[in-house]
């Protein structure tokens, strides 16, 4: 079984939380029993999370050796220059080593659901949207990459993992996918 889930902002990618008070988890969304996340999506990130009950499929979806592209729409603080986009395209050196080259392009502000809480707005600081496609999945990688080129992330939404995309799922909604 393979499930596409639109993880809302502020939800943990696990089914339990021992913190006090507990934070929202996947348990609150009526997902089928026996499925587990294939990969992670940060608490403060939104969008496509794949869940499966098949360990081999989960490995194939998450193992960097398979170089499965992950597509993100990223709202950044500032106006990206050609040089900053080129840095993302050639790979960025992070504290845990250089990243693989990414596909990066400017994106018109997408029609997304409102985020709760909203992204901070500052009249004196412009923002822009990027589409960033990476083929690895390090901890907070997209946020660290944009920060490394001088474009701090304000909002991060994963739109696709390989051939699997959100395709109109509202936050908190899920659907079963065909095949793998």
């Amino acid at each position: 079984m393979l499930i596409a889930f639109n993880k809302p902002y502020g939800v943990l990618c696990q089914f339990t939380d021992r913190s006090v008070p507990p934070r929202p988890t996947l348990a609150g969304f009526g997902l089928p029993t026996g499925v587990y996340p294939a990969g992670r999506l940060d608490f403060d990130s939104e969008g496509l999370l794949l869940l499966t009950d098949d360990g081999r499929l989960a490995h194939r979806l998450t193992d960097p050796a398979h170089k499965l592209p992950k597509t993100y729409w990223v709202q950044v603080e500032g106006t990206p220059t050609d040089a900053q986009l080129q840095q993302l395209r050639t790979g960025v050196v992070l504290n845990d080593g250089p990243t693989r080259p990414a596909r990066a392009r400017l994106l018109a502000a997408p029609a997304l659901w409102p985020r709760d809480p909203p992204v901070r707005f500052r009249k004196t600081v412009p923002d822009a949207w990027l589409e960033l496609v990476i083929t690895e999945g390090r901890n907070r990688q997209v946020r660290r990459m944009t920060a490394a080129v001088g474009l701090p992330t304000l909002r991060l939404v994963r739109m696709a993992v390989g051939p699997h995309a959100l395709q109109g799922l509202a936050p908190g909604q899920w659907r079963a996918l065909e095949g793998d």
Side-chain angles (χ1 to χ4, degrees):
M1 177 181 338
L2 182 61
I3 302 292
F5 174 64
N6 187 346
K7 186 193 91 61
Y9 176 89
V11 172
L12 289 176
C13 278
Q14 56 198 45
F15 286 89
T16 59
D17 181 34
R18 293 192 174 128
S19 62
V20 178
R23 296 167 290 181
T25 68
L26 299 176
F29 295 95
L31 292 158
T33 58
V35 297
Y36 294 92
R40 306 298 267 180
L41 198 54
D42 297 329
F43 183 76
D44 52 357
S45 297
E46 310 163 69
L48 181 63
L49 179 66
L50 297 176
L51 299 102
T52 183
D53 59 355
D54 181 339
R56 289 195 327 210
L57 175 57
H59 177 75
R60 204 165 54 243
L61 291 169
T62 59
D63 187 346
H66 292 99
K67 298 181 181 159
L68 199 61
K70 296 167 200 73
T71 303
Y72 296 88
W73 288 355
V74 190
Q75 185 181 19
V76 296
E77 187 174 273
T79 303
T81 64
D82 289 338
Q84 288 168 314
L85 291 173
Q86 189 57 36
Q87 281 181 280
L88 294 168
R89 292 177 186 133
T90 57
V92 177
V93 177
L94 302 176
N95 61 358
D96 55 352
T99 66
R100 290 182 182 152
R103 290 196 320 255
R105 68 180 181 97
L106 279 172
L107 193 64
L112 291 173
W113 54 89
R115 195 184 85 177
D116 184 23
V119 172
R120 73 177 185 270
F121 174 75
R122 299 189 326 194
K123 290 181 187 179
T124 59
V125 180
D127 63 65
W129 283 89
L130 302 176
E131 181 179 75
L132 200 58
V133 181
I134 62 173
T135 57
E136 53 190 343
R138 298 184 204 177
N139 185 41
R140 300 181 72 81
Q141 180 176 343
V142 170
R143 291 176 188 281
R144 293 189 299 142
M145 288 175 71
T146 62
V149 301
L151 298 166
T153 294
L154 300 173
R155 187 174 182 189
L156 180 61
V157 182
R158 183 162 55 200
M159 299 304 294
V161 175
H164 309 293
L166 273 181
Q167 294 175 330
L169 282 178
Q173 290 184 332
W174 61 272
R175 72 171 168 273
L177 297 173
E178 299 290 322
D180 60 331

